[in-house]
Amino acid sequence: MSFQQPSSSPSPQPGPGTQGPFGLGAPTGPARPPKQRGRWLKYGAVALVSLFIGVGIGSSGDGSAAADTAAADTKSGPRPTATVTETAKAADDGDAKPAPTVTETETVTAKPKKTRKPGPATSFSGEGEYVVGEDIKAGTYKTAGAEDEWGCYWERAKNASGEFDAIIANNNLTGPGRVTLNTGEYFKTNRCQEWKRVG
């Protein structure tokens, strides 16, 4: 391996008479294309203008909120209208006056159908506590059994206290099962499939 010594001749220094690309006495080196600075300014200006346009569009909104409000007003209810226009015939007396126009508008409002108030459910999830008569309808319910290997637990109770004395009946099912629920009771179910009313 060999190393070379730099030449002992000094590098040329710009003197008062030499002229580099940047003027008298300026360091000489590879010349930059003269258009590069102009390109940077042009692209920078375009980016700045685009930013201002984008901010202006974003802050002004697109008017969709007003369109949504107008659409919501039209959906609030049926408002059919009927417009009848009659034009009277001009008399043949040689007087050419325009005939009056009569417009009658009648608004008809449709009456909505009466809907039944939803009552207690006749099928419900196998997980939760329900008040019979309020949350679920009284009657006999059936389940397909447990959701997993831990079994399906159900409980009929007098109240929601959770005390042992409040339990009317309970069971752990490994297969399908039925239970009859009376109004006012509390029904608790854990890890069971959906309960459906059968009677």
Side-chain angles (χ1 to χ4, degrees):
M1 182 185 262
S2 66
F3 292 99
Q4 290 184 353
Q5 281 288 31
S7 67
S8 61
S9 65
S11 61
Q13 292 292 328
T18 57
Q19 183 176 355
F22 300 107
L24 285 174
T28 59
R32 279 174 72 182
K35 293 272 187 178
Q36 232 176 11
R37 183 174 180 174
R39 259 194 269 159
W40 182 86
L41 285 174
K42 182 172 85 175
Y43 291 127
V46 168
L48 189 61
V49 169
S50 299
L51 176 68
F52 284 130
I53 291 173
V55 168
I57 291 172
S59 65
S60 69
D62 61 355
S64 65
D68 291 344
T69 304
D73 289 344
T74 60
K75 294 178 184 175
S76 64
R79 296 182 182 171
T81 58
T83 303
V84 178
T85 304
E86 294 180 25
T87 305
K89 292 185 180 184
D92 287 336
D93 60 358
D95 208 3
K97 291 183 182 177
T101 302
V102 178
T103 303
E104 294 179 22
T105 304
E106 181 180 346
T107 302
V108 180
T109 304
K111 295 180 183 177
K113 292 181 181 178
K114 291 184 180 181
T115 57
R116 284 188 358 199
K117 182 180 173 184
T122 58
S123 65
F124 53 92
S125 166
E127 201 62 44
E129 186 171 1
Y130 306 94
V131 179
V132 181
E134 290 180 28
D135 300 326
I136 56 176
K137 215 173 202 179
T140 302
Y141 288 84
K142 179 181 178 181
T143 183
E147 285 184 334
D148 54 30
E149 69 274 359
W150 298 103
C152 164
Y153 173 77
W154 63 261
E155 172 185 305
R156 288 175 49 216
K158 297 177 201 170
N159 55 44
S161 68
E163 298 292 324
F164 185 73
D165 293 340
I167 297 174
I168 300 168
N170 65 350
N171 198 355
N172 281 306
L173 300 173
T174 55
R178 291 176 185 250
V179 63
T180 300
L181 306 173
N182 301 311
T183 303
E185 293 178 348
Y186 288 77
F187 183 66
K188 184 176 181 179
T189 175
N190 292 337
R191 300 177 309 274
C192 300
Q193 293 185 37
E194 183 180 38
W195 290 90
K196 295 180 182 176
R197 189 167 186 257
V198 292

